[in-house]
Amino acid sequence: MIRMLIQFAVNLGASALAFLLAWWLIPGVDLELTGFFIAVGIFTIIQSVLGPFVFNLARRYSAPLLGGIGLVSTLLSLVITSLLPGGLTIDGFGTWFVAALLVWFTTAIGSWILLAIFAKRRRTKQQGEDDARVVKRLHEQEQRERRATDEGGAPHTP
């Protein structure tokens, strides 16, 4: 469950970055500040649902199209998100194509990078916890050996 929430948060961040880049770089893409967060949230939810759905359809009916599934689901998610008032507006066929490509690329790369950062932090934290457990076990073993020596016996080594 935690992993899924982290994945969703990463996708939200990547989607927000992608929308801002599209708005900044592509003429014809307009974002309204009042609807920006709603548009990003809706896009991310739709993308999360449509991605696996479109993938399964393509795998079943047209396997050669599997490579473009992310782009197709991004385009569909942009279309649905732009239908909602007050958030995202895209004008012109070329603008739709370039916006879908930029948003798809940015969300894919952004998600990979953000997940790599989270994974590295988690590994570092886990390594620190593992090191603490080893130190604790060594300390406990040292105390047992000391007690055994204090009681007049030979230290016990496993």
Side-chain angles (χ1 to χ4, degrees):
M1 182 66 168
I2 297 292
R3 188 179 211 169
M4 188 171 72
L5 290 174
I6 290 172
Q7 177 73 38
F8 187 73
V10 164
N11 288 343
L12 273 174
S15 296
L17 176 64
F19 275 35
L20 289 172
L21 283 174
W23 170 70
W24 186 50
L25 295 174
I26 304 171
V29 174
D30 294 315
L31 281 173
E32 293 182 29
L33 183 60
T34 55
F36 171 73
F37 295 105
I38 294 170
V40 167
I42 299 239
F43 173 82
T44 304
I45 291 169
I46 292 170
Q47 182 72 4
S48 298
V49 172
L50 279 181
F53 176 73
V54 172
F55 176 80
N56 286 332
L57 281 176
R59 186 180 62 184
R60 186 176 206 175
Y61 297 110
S62 184
L65 294 178
L66 286 177
I69 293 309
L71 192 55
V72 170
S73 65
T74 299
L75 180 61
L76 290 173
S77 299
L78 283 173
V79 168
I80 293 169
T81 303
S82 71
L83 293 174
L84 303 171
L88 175 70
T89 307
I90 302 175
D91 295 321
F93 177 78
T95 305
W96 274 102
F97 177 74
V98 174
L101 195 60
L102 178 70
V103 169
W104 166 75
F105 182 76
T106 305
T107 55
I109 298 299
S111 294
W112 290 334
I113 290 170
L114 289 173
L115 283 175
I117 290 169
F118 276 115
K120 183 177 181 181
R121 285 185 180 174
R122 187 169 186 199
R123 278 193 307 269
T124 302
K125 181 181 175 187
Q126 184 65 38
Q127 183 65 40
E129 291 171 359
D130 290 346
D131 291 347
R133 280 191 218 110
V134 168
V135 168
K136 182 179 177 184
R137 286 183 188 149
L138 288 173
H139 182 68
E140 289 170 354
Q141 181 180 359
E142 184 179 283
Q143 286 179 338
R144 282 192 301 271
E145 289 175 359
R146 224 181 266 143
R147 280 191 297 256
T149 305
D150 291 344
E151 294 172 1
H156 178 325
T157 55

